[in-house]
Structure formats: structure tokens, C-alpha cells
Amino acid sequence: DAGVTQSPTHLIKTRGQQVTLRCSPISGHKSVSWYQQVLGQGPQFIFQYYEKEERGRGNFPDRFSARQFPNYSSELNVNALLLGDSALYLCASSLALNKLFFGSGTQLSVL
Amino acid sequence: DAKTTQPNSMESNEEEPVHLPCNHSTISGTDYIHWYRQLPSQGPEYVIHGLTSNVNNRMASLAIAEDRKSSTLILHRATLRDAAVYYCILRPNNNDMRFGAGTRLTVKP
């Protein structure tokens, strides 16, 4: 079975631009979570969705938004990019709200 | 949020057991103790979790103190492939997972 897939794997943007990251969960998983990982630090929680509803939100500005689609895939949007948004963005899926399965992430570079 | 404290780094020799400690003195009764690890250039990977009793699986063992204020992840025979950052996380019920800085484990041949 395919694991969690994220696209694109790498992305370069400039300050002020907007970016959309995509995540396909493991088949049958209804929950998707998004994390930001800056180099040298642990992943920081951004959002959690379950059955297309937001179930949790981390301490991130309103420039960050997400949604989950009827097929349980998800998108993370970041507006007005800042240099500090450069990071690895990780998506994780889970059956209900238990053990998380992570993708390999999207490496975002903001220039 | 309840916090965890882990050593920044640890070293182990290959084929020897490794005990990774985690302190969580402010743990509440509904917090599950989760361990994940992150290998280089990969997303985190589930290792084990528990609530009150010690737990074993094919990857590791989790020893939980009687007062639940600390726990220890035990790798019974470290291999080079176990070199990773290990995260100890408290998770209330099944809510979102909040990671700390973790322990970087180095395994020497």
C-alpha cells in the first residue's frame, strides 16, 4: 500500500508569494495533520483535520490555512511568504485520531 | 501543554542496549506517552506508545515509571539503522501531537 504522499518534494518561492502544498493520506485514513520543521528543530504542529473538519490549530499566523477534501486529501496554503517560512512541511495521516504516519515532506525555500 | 525533557544527544555502541530517558513531571492522567523517531531525510516514524503499563513491540520497549513522571525507551540491540532523533511526546487522549527537540542518537560501529 502507498504511504503518505506529498507534493511537490521541493519548492522555491520568493517573499510575498503564495504557496500550496498537497498531501494524500494512506487509503482509509480520515485524519490529516500538518507540521512545519525548521532545520535542527522538532516538527511544530500547524493543523489537524478529521473528517474534513478542523480539529486542532497550532500557534501559526492566519497566513497559514488548510483544508481537507471529501477524498481526505489535504492542502496547506501559506500566503505572503516570509523568509522564516523556509522549512520542511510534513503531512501525517492517521486512522481516526491515533498513530501518525508521516510523509517525507515538502522542502520549501523562500528567497 | 504538558512538556517533556530529553537529553540533546546520546551515543551507543552497535549491538548494545540503549536507554533513552524522558522526563514529564507535569503529565496528566489522560496523557498518552508516545515515542517517534526521525531518520535523516525522512518524516518521523512511530515507535511505541503507552499510558500506564510497560509496553513492548518489535521495535522497542517502553518503561513507564509508577508515578508516570518519567519514561524510558529501550532499544534492545542498537544497530546503525537506529541512528535518528528520538522524540518523546505527551498526547492528551488522541489530540494533536506536539514535538519537542528530541534526543539525537548516534550509534558507533
Side-chain angles (χ1 to χ4, degrees):
Chain A
D1 286 342
V4 177
T5 58
Q6 293 186 243
S7 62
T9 55
H10 295 83
L11 200 53
I12 299 174
K13 292 286 189 177
T14 57
R15 281 178 297 176
Q17 285 189 312
Q18 174 265 340
V19 67
T20 298
L21 310 180
R22 295 176 176 82
C23 173
S24 293
I26 292 172
S27 177
H29 285 193
K30 299 181 179 180
S31 178
V32 168
S33 300
W34 286 95
Y35 289 81
Q36 179 197 66
Q37 187 171 28
V38 173
L39 192 62
Q41 298 181 19
Q44 299 301 303
F45 171 72
I46 309 175
F47 287 109
Q48 181 187 60
Y49 278 79
Y50 177 67
E51 286 280 16
K52 301 178 287 293
E53 290 191 2
E54 183 182 302
R55 293 293 297 265
R57 174 185 286 251
N59 188 25
F60 279 81
D62 292 343
R63 299 185 296 109
F64 288 76
S65 63
R67 55 180 175 168
Q68 187 176 32
F69 298 99
N71 66 354
Y72 303 109
S73 67
S74 178
E75 286 182 352
L76 175 70
N77 295 285
V78 186
N79 293 323
L81 285 167
L82 304 174
L83 295 180
D85 295 331
S86 296
L88 179 68
Y89 288 84
L90 293 160
C91 173
S93 75
S94 61
L95 196 62
L97 293 170
N98 49 23
K99 184 169 65 174
L100 298 183
F101 294 83
F102 283 83
S104 296
T106 293
Q107 185 66 54
L108 172 65
S109 298
V110 182
L111 305 179
Chain B
D1 294 337
K3 298 262 191 275
T4 62
T5 304
Q6 299 178 254
N8 291 334
S9 62
M10 291 185 64
E11 283 190 354
S12 171
N13 294 316
E14 198 176 11
E15 305 284 314
E16 290 185 356
V18 182
H19 290 233
L20 297 165
C22 181
N23 287 318
H24 29 78
S25 58
T26 59
I27 191 170
S28 72
T30 57
D31 286 342
Y32 283 79
I33 302 162
H34 285 248
W35 284 82
Y36 280 71
R37 72 180 185 181
Q38 189 171 20
L39 280 64
S41 302
Q42 295 187 25
E45 172 190 33
Y46 169 83
V47 177
I48 200 166
H49 78 282
L51 184 61
T52 56
S53 303
N54 294 344
V55 185
N56 300 294
N57 66 20
R58 64 173 182 82
M59 287 182 70
S61 295
L62 176 59
I64 302 173
E66 193 169 337
D67 63 5
R68 299 210 327 127
K69 293 183 185 294
S70 66
S71 61
T72 302
L73 179 71
I74 303 165
L75 307 179
H76 296 285
R77 289 182 64 195
T79 70
L80 297 179
R81 289 173 296 177
D82 291 322
V85 178
Y86 286 79
Y87 298 99
C88 169
I89 305 156
L90 299 184
R91 192 178 192 192
N93 298 315
N94 276 320
N95 292 332
D96 51 80
M97 195 97 64
R98 311 240 174 178
F99 289 72
T103 296
R104 181 174 298 278
L105 176 66
T106 301
V107 180
K108 297 181 290 184

